[in-house]
Amino acid sequence: MTGSPLFELQHVTHVFGGRERFTALKDACLRLHEGEFVVLVGPSGCGKSTLLRILTGLLPPTEGHVLYRGQPMHGVNPHVTLVFQTFALFPWMTVQQNVEIALKARGVPPVERTARATELLDRVGLDGFESAYPRELSGGMRQKVGFARAMAVEPELLCLDEPFSSLDVLSAEALRRELLELWTSGKIPTKTILMVTHNIEEAVLLADRIVIMAKAPGRVVTELPVDLPYPRRHKTTAFLALVDEVYGLLATQAPSVRGLPAAAAGEPGYIRGLPAITIHDLAGLVEHLTEIPGHRADLFRLAEELKMDTKHFLELTDATTLLGFAAIAEGDITLTPLGETFAEASILARKEIFASRLRRLPMFQWLVHLLKASERQALTWDMVHTALELEFAPEEADRQLATLVTWGRYAELLTYDDRTGVIALEAKEV
């Protein structure tokens, strides 16, 4: 580690309350030092953004401690700023005014804040646009204003929550390069950067250390130092090897997803949730793997070849391994004999294979148990959704139920009437 400890999370847990209580972050430990660029990667719902908000003081932890320079932190920390993936600019203010507003909130005198804002806008390459309004700027330029505003208060820790995700590819690439130039040259008044991303290449390109998280509940599972010198080249052997390693670590974390209590399905512990993947995408991946020599592919190169974003690709490989159609090891995915059979089968035979695998999944067994326990072996969508919300956040409950119903209908194990919202077992399953 470089420098002295700046922030530390000690066994931090955060549970969102209300009717749908769920654990967003569980027993998370993380230490940030001065002079390092740390990147958090992990699947959606693993608590990355929650962790950022706890570090800034915007969200108090349910359990555990947050230390700033060795002392317990209480309330919002004035030495931390957060840049969101959306630009969050005031449309009625000019670029200059949008940057100055952060300084005004800190009580900085008008003359000083004007001078400081002008200097920062010059540093991020927006000199000449001080009087422009956000609507006149491109996405990349608007995000630069966000960076300038965040840095205006001279934070010791700069938190970035997927800052490039809403930009087009070229704008994101340019802005990453400029941020890295500002950071490595010491031209930004911050001691440490902590960034959240779904982009694995982006993480390896920028980070001194990559922290890998898993979900349900969200937790830190491992860390990976990045010892490559700046500037880093995408196509070097060392760079690609590290990207491969991160992909492999993320892919092997996917099976640990927690969902519902498993007692109803006769399983110990918890039933893992289902990845929200369509049958079309699943079949497409299996078919694609049959065309590769040895039916084995490097995860990173496969994602590039299929032109998929990391989040969707990892969910897709998760679904493929969950159903037994493929296996993942050492950063590679390999088609199983069952996967080969599925790829070569007829339309009806595929349905039968899929149905046999779906019946084995505890999540589907839970739904079947719920339906069979009802008076007519049928329940409304809202009733099942309410049951799911006891363990999942509302949006995740939506995804889980939609996936269960879609997979069940494809396998001809479930019926669903959109007019009445009733989910039922097929007659042969009853």
Side-chain angles (χ1 to χ4, degrees), residues 15-23 258-261 270 366 370 382-394 396-397:
V15 180
F16 285 99
R19 185 168 62 86
E20 313 89 9
R21 287 176 60 83
F22 75 101
T23 303
R258 169 182 155 174
L260 293 165
Y270 279 78
W366 169 84
L370 210 63
D382 290 343
M383 291 172 72
V384 180
H385 193 279
T386 299
L388 285 168
E389 281 189 332
L390 295 174
E391 294 295 329
F392 292 103
E396 184 60 28

Side-chain angles (χ1 to χ4, degrees), residues 168-225:
D168 62 83
V169 174
L170 294 178
S171 296
E173 183 66 28
L175 198 51
R176 278 189 214 105
R177 186 173 60 249
E178 291 175 12
L179 174 64
L180 193 57
E181 180 185 334
L182 290 169
W183 168 248
T184 55
S185 65
K187 291 181 180 177
I188 53 177
T190 188
K191 293 180 169 62
T192 304
I193 296 179
L194 178 64
M195 187 177 84
V196 164
T197 185
H198 280 108
N199 188 321
I200 307 305
E201 278 194 276
E202 182 175 271
V204 176
L205 187 72
L206 298 174
D208 297 306
R209 178 162 52 104
I210 297 173
V211 176
I212 294 172
M213 299 182 68
K215 71 175 184 178
R219 62 204 182 277
V220 175
V221 291
T222 191
E223 297 183 0
L224 194 65

Side-chain angles (χ1 to χ4, degrees), residues 45-311:
C46 71
K48 299 185 296 294
S49 295
T50 300
L51 191 151
L52 286 191
R53 282 155 180 76
I54 289 173
L55 271 173
T56 60
L58 293 172
L59 195 63
T62 306
E63 297 176 16
H65 304 283
V66 183
L67 304 183
Y68 167 66
R69 296 197 175 278
Q71 299 299 314
M73 194 177 85
H74 302 289
V76 176
N77 191 320
H79 304 289
V80 186
T81 55
L82 177 59
V83 175
F84 299 95
Q85 54 185 293
T86 52
F87 311 118
L89 302 180
F90 297 113
W92 60 87
M93 290 184 177
T94 65
V95 166
Q96 179 86 23
Q97 290 168 338
N98 264 287
V99 176
E100 285 190 30
I101 193 70
L103 296 169
K104 184 179 180 180
R106 296 287 179 92
V108 178
V111 175
E112 183 182 342
R113 64 179 183 241
T114 297
R116 198 187 298 183
T118 301
E119 181 190 358
L120 277 167
L121 288 170
D122 186 34
R123 285 192 206 176
V124 299
L126 288 177
D127 190 22
F129 289 90
E130 296 89 348
S131 60
Y133 287 90
R135 64 177 179 274
E136 301 175 57
L137 307 178
S138 66
M141 293 172 77
R142 278 179 279 180
Q143 194 62 301
K144 284 184 182 182
V145 179
F147 284 150
R149 184 172 60 189
M151 293 184 293
V153 295
E154 300 185 347
E156 292 188 294
L157 175 63
L158 177 62
C159 293
L160 308 174
D161 193 356
E162 296 189 64
F164 311 114
S165 62
S166 59
L167 304 176
D168 62 83
V169 174
L170 294 178
S171 296
E173 183 66 28
L175 198 51
R176 278 189 214 105
R177 186 173 60 249
E178 291 175 12
L179 174 64
L180 193 57
E181 180 185 334
L182 290 169
W183 168 248
T184 55
S185 65
K187 291 181 180 177
I188 53 177
T190 188
K191 293 180 169 62
T192 304
I193 296 179
L194 178 64
M195 187 177 84
V196 164
T197 185
H198 280 108
N199 188 321
I200 307 305
E201 278 194 276
E202 182 175 271
V204 176
L205 187 72
L206 298 174
D208 297 306
R209 178 162 52 104
I210 297 173
V211 176
I212 294 172
M213 299 182 68
K215 71 175 184 178
R219 62 204 182 277
V220 175
V221 291
T222 191
E223 297 183 0
L224 194 65
V226 182
D227 297 323
L228 305 178
Y230 295 115
R232 295 167 184 167
R233 306 299 178 191
H234 290 262
K235 301 303 179 184
T236 63
T237 302
F239 186 94
L240 293 174
L242 202 52
V243 170
D244 248 4
E245 187 174 357
V246 177
Y247 261 103
L249 288 168
L250 281 171
T252 53
Q253 292 306 322
S256 64
V257 173
R258 169 182 155 174
L260 293 165
E267 296 288 327
Y270 279 78
I271 299 170
R272 59 173 299 199
L274 301 180
I277 291 300
T278 65
I279 306 299
H280 179 270
D281 284 354
L282 178 72
L285 176 61
V286 173
E287 290 169 2
H288 186 80
L289 286 171
T290 62
E291 299 171 2
I292 298 173
H295 300 168
R296 181 185 180 107
D298 175 274
L299 286 167
F300 168 55
R301 289 173 176 80
L302 183 60
E304 276 200 324
E305 185 180 336
L306 297 176
K307 293 180 172 56
M308 286 187 185
D309 66 82
T310 305
K311 175 187 171 184

